Amino acid sequence: MKVTLPDFSQARVLVAGDVMLDRYWVGPADRVSPEAPVPVVQVNHCDDRAGGAANVALNVAALGGQCRLLGLVGEDESAEALRQAIKAGGVDAELLVQSGSSTTTKLRVISRDQQLIRLDFGDHFQPSDALNRAATGQLAQHQVLVLSDYAKGALVDLPALIASARQAGVTVLVDPKGSDFSKYHGASLLTPNMTEFLAVVGPVRDDQELEQKGQQLVRELALDALLVTRSKKGMTLLRAGQDALHLPAMAREVYDVTGAGDTVISTLAVALAAGSELPQACALANAAASVVVAKLGTSTVSALELAAMVDSLHHSDGVGVVSENQLLKAVAEAQARGETVVMTNGCFDILHAGHVGYLEQARRLGDRLIVAVNDDDSVRRLKGASRPVNGVEQRMRVLAALGAVDWVVPFSEDTPQRLIGAVLPNLLVKGGDYQVHEIAGHKEVLANGGEVRILGFEDGLSTSAIINTIRKAD
């Protein structure tokens, strides 16, 4: 699976849940208060942003999806500020006013890019089925329903709403809250973070126990899938009857995790609504999360930012000529994203059109292509003292310049069997008149559930023939 962006403009997502206003007061703190040992912040900038379910909706819109937002607010200044923030983000919102209640507001005081304190305003809303009725009436116009639960009281009688959505053919994604997940029974997918997951299933010692308890939760709640977000350990996707998909964290720098969960579920929603398969949607969500945690405060991710991050997956620092250790890390990350890794090997002493055609053919069989190259001593043992014509560094540089090739790695043994056994590609290919049992590394690849294929070379093209032609010309 190569990670690609679908046409997000085709996505129609309905978001319902706890909306809130994220308010930021920002300024320098250059002195300590004489009244108490606390910093004095000279506020010179105020910023109001849409948070909670509203941030989910803004993330959908920022990626280019069509979004409708439903939430509850009070009769206060914060509600108006929230409406303005939502409108600025291009989201069509219906904020239902509950008299006597206050809009959920989180005020953060920031100095020198550090949060000094957070003050929360607003209590739980009184139970009301108004939001459910509004959501049920909107289901037919949307492909995905996101329930963003911050336990502020907007979401009630969720089993009935989930059942109505599933009956209408709408995918239901839930960002859960609390230690009782039974209220989300029948949803398509839940996205708990690790703390929320452990609060429900209890402690886990390792990935294997996480998978076991996660699969049990999938069965108990009749879910299609469960995506556990694990901070620096990335994400784990669990589906009934299928192997777990572990996606490693991609963030190069974590600046602020505020709203990262909103970004994950919104990217999942817009990708699924646009036609992506679930593993690819999770890979996109993982990439989006890595972008947003590098920003300060509640933020969104644009389609351009996501595209750039996805492109970096395929053009990272590890692409090109790599060491064995670099290759093993890059392959592990690629396979974790569900990509098919193809591997081949050879001397490639004088690169010719036959080689290029063969490598292009190999690359079309998967998402990534590794070329393992005999070093100079290995070539001499195989081809004779007069070879190679070109040193291993030159041969690898030429191979790495080909568009079909992702990684080039040297090996010093007569065969790449040990290296192939360490890499364990999904598909091992070799060009020429071979049988599978004659190919170095075939046992290791097959034992790991991979595949071995024989590809043909273009007739009349070979390094030896080129060398002989040059000699005759002399």
Side-chain angles (χ1 to χ4, degrees):
M1 177 191 71
K2 185 174 182 178
V3 183
T4 57
L5 270 67
D7 182 0
F8 290 140
S9 67
Q10 301 303 307
R12 300 189 308 279
V13 179
L14 177 63
V15 178
D18 295 302
V19 298
M20 58 190 68
L21 178 68
D22 283 336
R23 177 161 280 168
Y24 296 85
W25 288 357
V26 184
D30 298 325
R31 60 192 179 94
V32 176
S33 171
E35 303 165 357
V38 296
V40 175
V41 178
Q42 182 64 45
V43 176
N44 57 25
H45 176 68
C46 299
D47 188 13
D48 288 337
R49 304 183 189 180
N55 186 42
V56 175
L58 262 62
N59 268 276
V60 171
L63 288 170
Q66 303 170 53
C67 188
R68 172 77 167 169
L69 171 66
L70 303 172
L72 298 182
V73 294
E75 293 179 300
D76 49 25
E77 176 272 337
S78 290
E80 184 56 33
L82 180 57
R83 287 191 183 91
Q84 293 301 317
I86 293 170
K87 183 178 180 181
V91 170
D92 178 23
E94 182 179 353
L95 301 184
L96 308 174
V97 177
Q98 189 172 94
S99 299
S101 296
S102 299
T103 302
T104 302
T105 304
K106 296 178 180 179
L107 169 61
R108 299 172 176 90
V109 180
I110 309 290
S111 182
R112 302 185 187 278
D113 294 334
Q114 295 293 321
Q115 184 179 147
L116 302 183
I117 190 171
R118 192 183 92 181
L119 299 91
D120 289 4
F121 303 87
D123 204 348
H124 290 74
F125 289 94
Q126 295 300 313
S128 169
D129 66 351
L131 189 143
N132 278 33
R133 286 187 281 107
T136 301
Q138 294 287 327
L139 290 174
Q141 288 78 48
H142 299 88
Q143 301 129 329
V144 174
L145 167 65
V146 176
L147 300 175
S148 184
D149 192 356
Y150 279 82
K152 300 298 182 182
L155 297 173
V156 297
D157 194 15
L158 287 179
L161 179 56
I162 291 170
S164 296
R166 297 303 298 270
Q167 187 174 2
V170 175
T171 299
V172 181
L173 310 183
V174 181
D175 188 357
K177 193 74 171 179
S179 58
D180 180 14
F181 283 5
S182 62
K183 57 187 172 182
Y184 310 122
H185 187 278
S188 306
L189 180 142
L190 264 60
T191 62
N193 61 36
M194 194 63 179
T195 300
E196 293 164 340
F197 178 73
L198 296 178
V200 173
V201 304
V204 297
R205 292 167 294 183
D206 50 30
D207 284 356
Q208 183 178 2
E209 189 170 6
L210 181 149
E211 293 174 19
Q212 291 172 346
K213 290 189 174 183
Q215 290 285 9
Q216 182 178 350
L217 193 61
V218 168
R219 292 190 295 271
E220 289 176 354
L221 299 180
L223 306 174
D224 292 341
L226 180 74
L227 180 67
V228 183
T229 57
R230 306 173 63 188
S231 188
K232 63 182 180 181
K233 292 187 177 180
M235 304 177 178
T236 296
L237 175 65
L238 300 168
R239 293 166 289 174
Q242 299 189 50
D243 292 337
L245 175 61
H246 296 285
L247 298 169
M250 296 167 50
R252 294 173 175 84
E253 179 181 9
V254 177
Y255 196 65
D256 190 344
V257 297
T258 303
D262 297 337
T263 299
V264 168
I265 199 166
S266 61
T267 308
L268 278 172
V270 73
L272 291 172
S276 293
E277 297 295 327
L278 182 55
Q280 182 154 135
C282 290
L284 289 170
N286 193 36
S290 72
V291 174
V292 80
V293 297
K295 300 182 179 184
L296 178 63
T298 306
S299 303
T300 61
V301 176
S302 70
L304 286 176
E305 289 174 315
L306 182 56
M309 178 56 68
V310 169
D311 185 65
S312 75
L313 295 178
H314 307 295
H315 300 87
S316 63
D317 293 338
V319 170
V321 177
V322 294
S323 68
E324 183 173 333
N325 286 338
Q326 288 173 322
L327 177 65
L328 294 178
K329 182 177 183 296
V331 168
E333 292 178 353
Q335 290 178 329
R337 295 190 295 269
E339 295 177 1
T340 298
V341 175
V342 183
M343 187 171 183
T344 190
N345 67 277
C347 299
F348 299 98
D349 194 0
I350 297 178
L351 195 67
H352 52 70
H355 290 140
V356 174
Y358 162 73
L359 294 173
E360 290 176 340
Q361 184 182 359
R363 180 62 169 76
R364 287 193 291 269
L365 297 175
D367 301 306
R368 299 288 192 142
L369 176 60
I370 304 166
V371 180
V373 181
N374 297 73
D375 72 3
D376 293 347
D377 288 338
S378 175
V379 174
R380 277 189 283 270
R381 291 194 298 270
L382 293 172
K383 303 289 187 178
S386 63
R387 301 281 293 276
V389 174
N390 294 299
V392 66
E393 296 298 332
Q394 288 77 19
R395 288 183 279 131
M396 291 194 299
R397 284 187 63 188
V398 172
L399 285 164
L402 297 178
V405 177
D406 291 286
W407 298 297
V408 184
V409 63
F411 65 94
S412 58
E413 302 93 337
D414 289 346
T415 79
Q417 181 175 358
R418 181 200 57 79
L419 177 61
I420 292 169
V423 174
L424 293 176
N426 304 94
L427 180 60
L428 176 64
V429 301
K430 188 68 177 173
D433 188 17
Y434 287 93
Q435 298 295 318
V436 168
H437 69 273
E438 298 174 319
I439 297 175
H442 77 277
K443 291 181 180 179
E444 290 79 1
V445 172
L446 293 175
N448 193 53
E451 184 181 355
V452 180
R453 289 195 196 179
I454 312 298
L455 302 182
F457 276 138
E458 191 173 338
D459 291 339
L461 293 174
S462 73
T463 299
S464 298
I466 292 172
I467 293 174
N468 289 335
T469 299
I470 294 171
R471 285 172 176 166
K472 289 178 181 178
D474 291 341

